[in-house]
Amino acid sequence: MDLSYTAQEDEFRARLREWLGKVLPTLPVKPSPDDWPGRRAYDLGWQRMLYDAGYADVHWDASPTTRLIFLEETEKAGAPYVGANFVGLLHAGPTIAAEGTPEQRERWLPPVLRGDEVWCQGFSEPDAGSDLAALRTRAWRDGDDYVVTGSKIWTSHAEVADWCELLVRTDADAPKHRGISWLAMPMSAAGITVRPLRTLAGSAEFAEVFLDEVRVPVGNRVGDENDGWRVTMVTLSFERGTAFVGEVVACRRVLGELAVEARRNGRWDDPVLRRQLGRLNAEFRALWRLTQWNVSEAEASGGVPGVGGSVFKLRYSHARQELYDAAADVLGPDSLDLERAWVLDRLSSLSYTIAAGTSQIQQNIVAERILGLPKGR
Amino acid sequence: MRFQLTDEQKALRAVVRDVIGRSSAAGVWGLVAQFPAPLIDRGFWRALGELGVFSLRLPEVDGGAGLGLPEAVLVFEELGWALVPGPLVATHLAAGVVPGAATGETVVAAADGSLVEWLDEADVVLPGAEGAVALRSVDPLTPLHRVPAPGRTDPVAVLLTAAEQLGTAARVCELAVQHARTREQFGQAIGGFQAVKHLCAQSLVRVEVARAAVYAAAVTGDVVDIAAARVLADEAAVRGARDCLQVHGGMGFTWESEVHLHLKRAWVRARRGGGNTESEELLAADLLAGVAWRGACLR
Ligand SMILES: Cc1cc2nc3c(=O)[nH]c(=O)nc-3n(C[C@H](O)[C@H](O)[C@H](O)COP(=O)(O)OP(=O)(O)OC[C@H]3O[C@@H](n4cnc5c(N)ncnc54)[C@H](O)[C@@H]3O)c2cc1C
């Protein structure tokens, strides 16, 4: 068990820190949450800077430890989040890298790395959420195209995306997991209607996407026809693996700020609150260690994260909600004022136990795939 | 960074598991039968000494194995798993200080907080046990005395206790899963019911979180890391044992089931060093020290 880094890794960290110190002050002002074109431009601009400096492919090509260092340092320095690049960099990109043909990799990966193109994820449907394999959006073959009709929902960044990683049903008669294919759909195609949905936090973070006879070239299919479920599992394992590294670092910073604020406003004298903050310190320290443990494990096993990601996600999503509940205790009545720091974060923390597989589904996964308990109701 | 067990550490764990796993399973029930005045099996204590349980961190010139806290934590996790009775932490800490402690010739007890475990069976009590009064111990496998002047608690004792709690947490998770797989109601294994399944899943999550915290604290030896390990391992053991009891139904409430022995031991250990309060306060103070997310702590 070794928590120290190699000389090479330390050097990577030092170089990155130096670069961040140089470029972060030159960034433009962050656009407001409702300014979608502005957000797209800002997020892509940041990705372009990473590309020019040689850090663009850290999510794919670097070792898990290097990736960990990258995510840790960028977060500590206050660098922008992946934002609109999330699906391209952490989801569709890794999937295409693992499952795509050489031509597909050549077509789609460089624009993601360069910060030219944004992807969104069209998996969930009104009647297929937790039961994703029940999806009904249909795709028929017509010559060299698929013709796609159906609807998707909760599609984050749909309004500003160039591409959508789309799950469609290509065989309606096969068992539900065996009739699904994975397509890259250009968002500019005819027949796509995007209707933004407002979240409880007030901004339009995701959308409904209606598909009416949208033509997608057969060459845009990644993986074999009807093999999309397996391809999807590759994608989901990435999402549940290292996706939260930066956030754990951020939560630890917020926790320190909460303590300072509590001391300032007198709430620190309440031993119940103080000890709750102490427990959260234990919690996020442990989540950081668990991240290091999982990264070391991935390193040893060749890179692909395993079901251990479900264990992490279950605990982390809950801890994040507890953190912002503690923030509300520190703020007192101000916790009801949307202008105050942490209040919007508290609202958005509510999505963590739902998005990317609800906590109930994650518990099923842990119980069935790790503990070997019987499947069932 | 390679935060995984080395091959040597895995081998050490296997050896310990082999020796204590088998002998204590039988031994524990014999001891429960001696309740309320259990005795320490001196032969077994010496066997633990031979295994290196007490001496492992002593330098080789002093008859130890020259190993560190990570190895000690792995060994104490196994001791906790197997419910091994006796003042293990106190005797381990006395190795090299009290003659015979390292080899298992001497049984050493210690005042920890305001309690002393195994006072009557100990050859030596540190720092002393004046005015000690016997309690009717809730744990049939840990006789207890109260002492008037609270003793100081060594952070290493806190860490090794956390390791024992981790072992208990892992064990009760296994017991719950075993029972959930085999016990049938309504025509199916109860582990197929989500309410039961989710108790087991949460139990495992607590084990994995506590494990990361305990192992990391053993590597860094940092007092704040140790406090974090303690808080999480206590939670994993106590909550895990209670959920395990729940999964066992009426059987879990019986004296014959081993579940209550794990819960009671976890309760005893959770009281060491005056309970969780001190650790939580330390963790809170650390937030204001402003080092929580910087430098060494993240490495
Ligand atoms: C902020 C946010 C962003 C998102 N972004 C995207 C995106 O970009 N692309 C995309 O495709 N999707 C996205 N999603 C969708 C997300 O993946 C789904 O919301 C999620 O999988 C749950 O599906 P559902 O909403 O249909 O809820 P349901 O599946 O209807 O679940 C409702 C409740 O029932 C419970 N439940 C359901 N089945 C079971 C079961 N078998 N056992 C126990 N309990 C069960 C659930 O845990 C939940 O509590 C996003 C969601 C959110 C909140």
Side-chain angles (χ1 to χ4, degrees):
Chain A
M1 287 188 276
D2 186 2
L3 286 166
S4 61
Y5 292 88
T6 63
Q8 219 181 348
E9 288 160 348
D10 280 335
E11 195 198 304
F12 172 80
R13 187 191 292 276
R15 253 191 302 126
L16 175 60
R17 253 187 217 173
E18 195 192 315
W19 179 74
L20 288 166
K22 264 207 310 263
V23 300
L24 291 183
T26 70
L27 282 184
V29 183
K30 231 183 149 160
S32 91
D34 292 320
D35 174 11
W36 270 106
R39 280 174 66 175
R40 177 189 154 107
Y42 182 85
D43 293 347
L44 288 179
W46 169 241
Q47 181 59 28
R48 180 69 198 202
M49 288 168 86
L50 289 172
Y51 179 81
D52 289 339
Y55 293 116
D57 59 353
V58 74
H59 296 289
W60 306 347
D61 278 353
S63 71
T65 307
T66 307
R67 191 153 61 229
L68 180 87
I69 294 170
F70 174 82
L71 293 167
E72 182 189 346
E73 290 300 324
T74 45
E75 177 53 49
K76 279 198 204 162
Y81 296 107
V82 279
N85 300 308
F86 181 83
V87 174
L89 280 176
L90 296 172
H91 227 263
T95 306
I96 294 164
E99 299 286 328
T101 62
E103 297 75 42
Q104 290 176 331
R105 292 203 292 267
E106 193 44 45
R107 166 63 191 88
W108 287 310
L109 300 186
V112 167
L113 293 177
R114 279 197 308 263
D116 288 338
E117 291 182 347
V118 168
W119 284 68
C120 64
Q121 179 196 52
F123 284 12
S124 305
E125 296 182 8
D127 290 328
S130 298
D131 188 8
L132 183 58
L135 62 94
R136 291 206 299 239
T137 292
R138 279 285 281 149
W140 286 271
R141 276 292 265 272
D142 181 27
D144 288 339
D145 288 339
Y146 285 110
V147 179
V148 183
T149 292
S151 61
K152 294 290 172 177
I153 194 167
W154 320 126
T155 316
S156 308
H157 302 113
E159 289 161 276
V160 293
D162 304 290
W163 293 94
C164 177
E165 51 163 345
L166 189 73
L167 291 184
V168 294
R169 186 157 301 284
T170 36
D171 183 349
D173 301 324
K176 64 181 181 180
H177 293 92
R178 302 224 190 96
I180 295 171
S181 300
W182 195 107
L183 304 181
M185 177 178 74
M187 290 298 282
S188 56
I192 302 178
T193 311
V194 174
R195 201 167 77 196
L197 292 167
R198 221 170 157 205
T199 73
L200 57 69
S203 57
E205 291 296 319
F206 44 31
E208 283 177 289
V209 178
F210 300 98
L211 306 170
D212 183 17
E213 302 197 352
V214 180
R215 297 190 83 87
V216 180
V218 171
N220 285 16
R221 193 189 65 228
V222 172
D224 290 339
E225 188 168 87
N226 298 326
D227 194 29
W229 186 255
R230 190 189 56 78
V231 175
T232 303
M233 287 300 114
V234 171
T235 316
L236 292 184
S237 73
F238 275 96
E239 188 174 30
R240 287 168 192 168
T242 43
F244 301 108
V245 169
E247 296 195 7
V248 173
V249 176
C251 284
R252 298 187 70 181
R253 185 185 56 235
V254 169
L255 188 57
E257 290 166 2
L258 281 183
V260 170
E261 172 62 17
R263 217 232 328 233
R264 197 196 60 76
N265 73 11
R267 295 285 287 128
W268 189 254
D269 296 336
D270 174 354
V272 176
L273 176 83
R274 200 171 58 227
R275 287 172 55 188
Q276 169 64 3
L277 295 179
R279 287 195 80 90
L280 283 166
N281 188 5
E283 187 76 27
F284 283 105
R285 276 169 177 265
L287 284 167
W288 178 254
R289 299 313 188 181
L290 186 57
T291 303
Q292 290 181 312
W293 183 267
N294 288 342
V295 163
S296 298
E297 194 171 44
E299 192 99 70
S301 70
V304 176
V307 276
S310 288
V311 168
F312 179 87
K313 200 218 167 218
L314 266 171
R315 186 79 174 210
Y316 167 64
S317 53
H318 184 70
R320 187 178 177 96
Q321 292 175 354
E322 277 192 297
L323 173 69
Y324 287 107
D325 284 344
D329 285 341
V330 170
L331 289 173
D334 283 349
S335 67
L336 302 176
D337 178 357
L338 285 169
E339 290 298 320
R340 290 299 304 250
W342 305 320
V343 177
L344 268 179
D345 296 310
R346 186 184 192 202
L347 291 176
S348 63
S349 77
L350 299 172
S351 72
Y352 277 72
T353 46
I354 298 167
T358 70
S359 291
Q360 286 70 37
I361 296 302
Q362 303 289 359
Q363 288 179 89
N364 289 347
I365 291 173
V366 169
E368 289 163 12
R369 299 205 207 141
I370 303 179
L371 297 175
L373 288 172
K375 283 193 166 251
R377 284 159 300 124
Chain B
M1 181 187 69
R2 222 191 110 72
F3 189 32
Q4 292 280 300
L5 299 194
T6 62
D7 290 341
E8 293 77 29
Q9 286 166 338
K10 282 185 197 153
L12 171 70
R13 188 175 64 179
V15 170
V16 175
R17 201 168 270 186
D18 208 45
V19 174
I20 60 178
R22 262 182 273 129
S23 32
S24 80
V28 160
W29 287 110
L31 211 61
V32 172
Q34 298 165 359
F35 180 70
L39 302 172
I40 285 179
D41 174 346
R42 294 300 182 127
F44 183 58
W45 203 254
R46 276 191 297 273
L48 292 178
E50 252 163 63
L51 189 58
V53 166
F54 308 120
S55 63
L56 109 154
R57 288 190 307 125
L58 290 182
E60 281 172 55
V61 288
D62 297 331
L67 295 171
L69 283 178
E71 287 76 20
V73 152
L74 292 174
V75 170
F76 274 76
E77 178 184 344
E78 293 307 316
L79 296 170
W81 189 96
L83 212 54
V84 174
L88 296 158
V89 174
T91 304
H92 176 96
L93 288 175
V97 180
V98 175
T103 54
E105 292 302 320
T106 313
V107 175
V108 183
D112 176 287
S114 48
L115 293 166
V116 187
E117 298 173 22
W118 291 98
L119 179 66
D120 291 341
E121 282 294 289
D123 305 313
V124 176
V125 187
L126 297 174
E130 252 158 71
V133 181
L135 303 186
R136 220 157 72 81
S137 175
V138 69
D139 177 11
L141 291 173
T142 313
L144 290 170
H145 283 72
R146 279 206 75 136
V147 283
R152 259 192 64 240
T153 310
D154 184 331
V156 174
V158 177
L159 177 63
L160 296 180
T161 297
E164 290 182 297
Q165 295 286 61
L166 172 62
T168 293
R171 179 64 179 144
V172 290
C173 180
E174 274 174 42
L175 288 173
V177 170
Q178 269 168 21
H179 190 71
R181 277 211 207 111
T182 45
R183 166 73 175 168
E184 292 192 7
Q185 286 292 278
F186 299 96
Q188 67 168 72
I190 57 168
F193 297 116
Q194 272 197 358
V196 173
K197 192 180 272 187
H198 289 187
L199 284 179
C200 295
Q202 287 297 349
S203 190
L204 181 75
V205 170
R206 286 190 297 262
V207 170
E208 294 306 322
V209 170
R211 185 186 305 284
V214 170
Y215 289 0
V219 172
T220 66
D222 176 272
V223 286
V224 186
D225 280 339
I226 291 175
R230 191 253 158 95
V231 165
L232 294 165
D234 278 352
E235 182 200 36
V238 172
R239 289 276 316 269
R242 294 183 77 134
D243 288 350
C244 177
L245 197 154
Q246 183 67 21
V247 167
H248 277 76
M251 173 92 84
F253 193 66
T254 62
W255 186 262
E256 283 72 26
S257 143
E258 115 180 43
V259 182
H260 71 107
L261 298 177
H262 291 285
L263 176 59
K264 291 167 176 173
R265 186 72 68 85
W267 276 343
V268 168
R269 295 195 204 107
R271 279 284 133 221
R272 288 191 194 151
N276 256 314
T277 316
E278 213 174 288
S279 299
E280 287 171 357
E281 289 287 4
L282 181 69
L283 285 155
D286 169 67
L287 291 172
L288 284 178
V291 296
W293 58 283
R294 261 194 255 124
C297 298
L298 280 187
R299 304 299 293 274

